[in-house]
Amino acid sequence: CPITGLEVALTDLQSSWNNVRHHTEEISSNRLLVRRGQAFNITLYFRNRAFQPGLDNIIFVTETGPLPDLPKGTRAVFSLAGHRGPSPWIASLQTIGASSLEVSLCAPPVAAVGRYLLKVHIRSLQGPVTAYQLGEFILLFNPWCPEDAVYLESEPQRQEYVMNDYGFIYQGNKNWIRPCPWNYGQFEENIIDICLELLDKSLNFQIDPATDCALRGSPVYISRVVCAMINSNDDSGVLNGNWGENYSDGTNPAEWMGSVAILKQWHATGCQPVRYGQCWVFAAVTCTVMRCLGIPTRVITNFNSGHDTDGNLIIDEYYDNTGRILENKKKDSVWNFHVWNECWMARNDLPPGFGGWQVLDATPQETSNGLYCCGPASVRAIKEGEVDLNYDTAFAFSMVNADCMAWLVFGGKEQKLHQDTNTVGNFISTKSIQSDERDDITENYKYEEGSLQERQVFLKALQKLKAGRFPGSLRAESQPRSVPLSDSPRSLATPSLQPSDVVQVSLKFQLLDSPNMGQDIRFVLLALNMSPQLKDLRVNLSAQSLLHDGSPLLPFWQDTAFITLSPEEAKTYPCKITYSQYSQYLSTDKLIRISALGEEKNSPEKILVNKIITLAYPSIVINVLGAAIVNQPLSIQVVFSNPLSEQVEDCVLTVEGSGLFRRQQRVLIGVLKPHHRASLTLETIPFKSGQRQIQANLRSNKFKDIKGYRNVYINFGL
């Protein structure tokens, strides 16, 4: 009897089995999600007979994007024959059944990531070709594959930087670093679809979808697209930035504690930017998207982060004679802390040795090639001062290396107070691998402060900056001011004398107890005479609130101290700022800067000292009641209190946690009396096993971000 054509009745994409092997089972078990450079198996079931090698010719076709194209690599055609065809995609025979065929397919480790269509063409002998659509799959980057540009050798690092769906973002100030818990939730329902939608909303895709999809195999390209799409400055990006004090038409950035709510809101509103974000929110959402796509990513905090807008590596700060900082005319500033990402990838576009961790900063500060996007900049290039390497390495270098120049402004004149070479770029921090500790990674970014190597790198970077304005560097239009030689940043000789060395008096602030919100702030000014002469000092003291980006608000406390010091004598001057004095002047950042400007009777030199205080809240306490088992009811007790000695209203408690809650839980609490402590119990049914985290936030009309977290291990059950 004549051979009939082979007919496909059914396809099993083996999603559950493949996804476990491709580390995507957390995303889904009923849709196929695979990683490039790694084989996955599918089974074809035939309606009429068994597959016969030599008789039946099976050709697979994969397509991605709206305009699949063979030369561009967004369409592939490859056969089940034993020999390698021209396509880098591979199909190989696994097992032949009575009416089925199991095949192993493998995408090349450079394939574009995204949503793919899988088709098959079958030809039996000389008969007609029949074509079938077998289904869809999503292809992701593969940090487990040595040939992939994002390959990361260490399994604990892969678990932390790709698979972990919670973490900590470090905030506060360099003297008081505190972890803020965050729910990345990169494997939650629909997040992968929202990440792919984000790529399709980018300007690159809108202008030229065919080329954009073809470039999606490059982690360097993807990271630039994601970075530009997280802020809404050029496109319908995810977040609107707001560094003011009015968030009434959106959410205060300090209230967020996870990326899932933000990404889902962006998607649900037809890609309207979500209000509002600041640096840690931009970085956290970037981390979620990058981990979801398979690029190892971590969140980095830089304390005292430089924002040098004119590319001369000097940040100027201006003070008046009461010691208060003035609104900067040039917009240079030192941010109390700034948060960005590092993504792990090879950099074949750079000289050898600059792969590995790359800085990616989605906070809209400066444009890069016309878009608000910063990076990827090689961390190694930053450390070595190679500021001309792509992308935006000069800007990243200045965030951790700029010098600070303080100026006194009076009577229309400016007097140089001092230059500080080690203010900027301190305690660069990230969460440790598989632990809740903080890792200090400052040495990845710079040689030891004051070392010869550090000065040489600084001068090398400055020379390169002056030599040429390269593309993707700082704003090309603002030329660096010419700096007279005597004031040139950091010659290799000894550092310039500070005013305190000239006057031979040292001033320093010291807190007497940890500053808690709702309580008085008690501190002393320590004055030490280092000379053999008597010193008569007049010291102007002031306190003002700061916004997170370093912008000052008006002073709300001032004092003048007259201190007489015998030779080599030390004295303390006690100070107190009461809660009623500071309460209505605080921004959500809870930052107070205290300053002292001291002058000696017979000397023109002035000494400036300041200290930044972050006011702390008591944490929310979360207790897990009983054993945590998948698909079994679990009770969670949340204990919170009003830290203030006044009544607060409009209290809302928000609780979330990937794998524990399918959506954010919001409880309206209403009024909390002064110092009142309350607790409530929430019921949930955990749906994922393993190490998880619960995050909670309490907001009211007087405070926005009392936080708490609890790690919980969820057992698999029977």
Side-chain angles (χ1 to χ4, degrees), residues 56 109 136 138 151 189 228 251 287 440 454 465 495 578:
D56 300 315
E136 277 195 354
I138 288 174
Y151 174 63
E189 201 178 10
T251 299
C287 182
D440 191 304
E454 184 248 0
L465 276 170
T578 62

Side-chain angles (χ1 to χ4, degrees), residues 72 125 174 179 239 412 439 552:
K72 278 192 153 76
L125 273 177
K174 68 174 188 182
L239 280 157
D439 248 0

Side-chain angles (χ1 to χ4, degrees), residues 575-637:
C575 307
K576 181 167 86 169
I577 305 173
T578 62
Y579 173 63
S580 60
Q581 281 175 306
Y582 71 75
S583 62
Q584 67 267 42
Y585 294 100
L586 272 188
S587 73
T588 338
D589 303 299
K590 304 180 293 295
L591 292 175
I592 292 176
R593 180 185 196 126
I594 47 175
S595 304
L597 187 69
E599 50 188 328
E600 196 208 339
K601 257 188 183 159
N602 321 322
S603 163
E605 290 289 342
K606 293 179 174 53
I607 314 160
L608 174 71
V609 286
N610 49 55
K611 187 177 188 72
I612 290 180
I613 297 168
T614 308
L615 290 153
Y617 287 130
S619 293
I620 294 174
V621 177
I622 302 171
N623 298 312
V624 177
L625 311 175
I629 299 167
V630 172
N631 297 329
Q632 300 286 319
L634 180 65
S635 296
I636 293 158
Q637 182 194 44

Side-chain angles (χ1 to χ4, degrees), residues 68-246:
D69 182 46
L70 269 173
K72 278 192 153 76
T74 47
R75 183 172 196 260
V77 179
F78 51 107
S79 77
L80 190 52
H83 62 86
R84 288 290 300 269
S87 171
W89 288 68
I90 303 165
S92 53
L93 193 64
Q94 294 295 302
T95 47
I96 301 174
S99 63
S100 69
L101 173 68
E102 189 175 20
V103 181
S104 164
L105 305 177
C106 187
V110 294
V113 300
R115 212 182 290 282
Y116 276 79
L117 207 53
L118 178 63
K119 301 174 182 175
V120 69
H121 295 174
I122 299 176
R123 188 174 192 182
S124 304
L125 273 177
Q126 300 306 309
V129 174
T130 48
Y132 298 91
Q133 200 156 303
L134 301 182
E136 277 195 354
F137 66 93
I138 288 174
L139 188 68
L140 300 172
F141 289 101
N142 193 352
W144 285 264
C145 169
E147 284 78 46
D148 196 309
V150 302
Y151 174 63
L152 191 54
E153 204 174 345
S154 141
E155 179 60 18
Q157 287 193 7
R158 292 190 293 242
Q159 288 302 317
E160 182 66 55
Y161 301 135
V162 182
M163 302 302 291
N164 199 354
D165 62 8
Y166 68 86
F168 299 102
I169 300 171
Y170 294 95
Q171 298 182 350
N173 67 64
K174 68 174 188 182
N175 304 313
W176 186 77
I177 297 174
R178 71 179 180 103
C180 170
W182 197 272
N183 176 20
Y184 295 119
Q186 68 268 32
F187 303 130
E188 290 300 278
E189 201 178 10
N190 300 121
I191 293 298
I192 179 67
D193 304 292
I194 297 171
C195 293
L196 296 177
E197 179 181 25
L198 183 138
L199 298 181
D200 288 350
K201 283 281 179 253
S202 76
L203 290 179
N204 299 30
F205 182 86
Q206 304 292 325
I207 294 162
D208 184 355
T211 304
D212 175 73
C213 288
L215 289 168
R216 287 184 186 179
S218 155
V220 173
Y221 179 78
I222 287 277
S223 59
R224 278 183 75 73
V225 169
V226 170
C227 187
M229 275 304 295
I230 297 297
N231 67 65
S232 63
N233 286 44
D234 309 291
D235 39 49
S236 53
V238 177
L239 280 157
N240 250 338
N242 185 341
W243 286 267
E245 292 176 276
N246 180 10

Side-chain angles (χ1 to χ4, degrees), residues 320-323 408 503 505-507 525 527 534-542 558-565 573 595-609:
D320 71 7
N321 57 7
T322 66
L408 177 65
V503 184
V505 170
S506 125
L507 295 178
L525 178 69
L534 184 85
K535 296 279 180 185
D536 257 337
L537 298 182
R538 175 198 166 109
V539 185
N540 290 329
L541 297 134
S542 70
Q558 287 180 325
D559 191 10
T560 306
F562 295 93
I563 304 171
T564 304
L565 295 169
Y573 180 81
S595 304
L597 187 69
E599 50 188 328
E600 196 208 339
K601 257 188 183 159
N602 321 322
S603 163
E605 290 289 342
K606 293 179 174 53
I607 314 160
L608 174 71
V609 286

